[in-house]
Amino acid sequence: MPPKTDPRDWERLFEGRRRRHGPLRIVVIALIAGILLLGLIGSVPFVLDQIEASRVVARQTQIVQQTREARATTQQAVTQSAIAILTQTSSPSPTATLLPTPTSAPVIGRAQVINGGNIRSAPRVSADTVIGQVCVGDRVELLEEQTFGDNNRWYRLRVVATADDCVPQRVSAGTEGWVSATLLSRPEP
């Protein structure tokens, strides 16, 4: 019969095995951690590109939505004016109609459009108040200011000069209406 192995022999055998694999295991763990860290660092530009792309898509979606809203408002106004023309009755005797003459409102300041958006007939956000679109770079004269609450400021303005065409529903120079202060640069006297 073979002699029994002393427990100290087992410890000696396994202790040697642990020592041989100890530093190798540390090196392997360090290599794997380094590869993962390099992968994370390498993916940062990709993540930043994806964030920027989503911002661009969100801005384009906002412009498209504003354009659709302006088109719908324009179509609604055309339909209402066509209905009004069709429902007018002819008067038996012609009467002279005086056209209102435009008056020059006092200018309280000048500004430039820094965010494209809707110009409205009243200082409130509603589809039925949209006159058209103002574009980035348009120059305006401020005629009146109204503030609702703490940060909701509106300006009644007149478009003085237009920049490049940005949307088909853009207003022409001379158009008057209301615009939120968030679309304008800081007013200049």
Side-chain angles (χ1 to χ4, degrees):
M1 253 185 144
K4 288 190 174 184
T5 306
D6 189 9
R8 288 179 299 211
D9 291 338
W10 287 106
E11 288 176 12
R12 182 180 49 82
L13 289 173
F14 285 116
E15 184 178 300
R17 184 172 178 93
R18 275 191 225 121
R19 262 187 273 141
R20 272 194 311 236
H21 293 294
L24 181 62
R25 183 174 181 187
I26 292 172
V27 169
V28 168
I29 290 173
L31 283 175
I32 291 173
I35 291 171
L36 289 174
L37 185 62
L38 287 175
L40 286 174
I41 291 171
S43 67
V44 167
F46 175 75
V47 170
L48 292 176
D49 287 343
Q50 291 299 318
I51 290 171
E52 184 62 30
S54 68
R55 284 184 185 156
V56 168
V57 168
R59 179 69 180 145
Q60 289 173 349
T61 304
Q62 180 185 11
I63 291 171
V64 167
Q65 184 179 8
Q66 289 175 348
T67 304
R68 285 183 186 155
E69 181 181 299
R71 278 191 194 138
T73 304
T74 304
Q75 289 173 350
Q76 182 181 12
V78 168
T79 304
Q80 288 176 353
S81 64
I83 291 171
I85 290 172
L86 292 175
T87 58
Q88 284 180 350
T89 58
S90 62
S91 60
S93 62
T95 58
T97 308
L98 295 176
L99 295 175
T101 58
T103 58
S104 293
V107 176
I108 62 171
R110 292 173 179 24
Q112 184 172 354
V113 177
I114 57 172
N115 292 317
N118 292 327
I119 183 169
R120 300 177 178 277
S121 60
R124 62 185 168 87
V125 177
S126 175
D128 62 336
T129 62
V130 175
I131 296 173
Q133 298 272 315
V134 289
C135 297
V136 174
D138 290 355
R139 305 287 296 160
V140 298
E141 290 180 338
L142 306 175
L143 307 174
E144 184 180 345
E145 177 181 351
Q146 284 191 8
T147 304
F148 304 98
D150 290 337
N151 295 331
N152 194 3
R153 188 175 19 188
W154 288 79
Y155 288 104
R156 187 169 67 87
L157 54 82
R158 179 183 311 116
V159 178
V160 178
T162 58
D164 296 331
D165 285 339
C166 62
V167 292
Q169 296 78 19
R170 89 142 333 126
V171 295
S172 60
T175 304
E176 289 186 14
W178 290 90
V179 171
S180 172
T182 59
L183 302 182
L184 302 175
S185 65
R186 184 179 301 270
E188 303 165 358

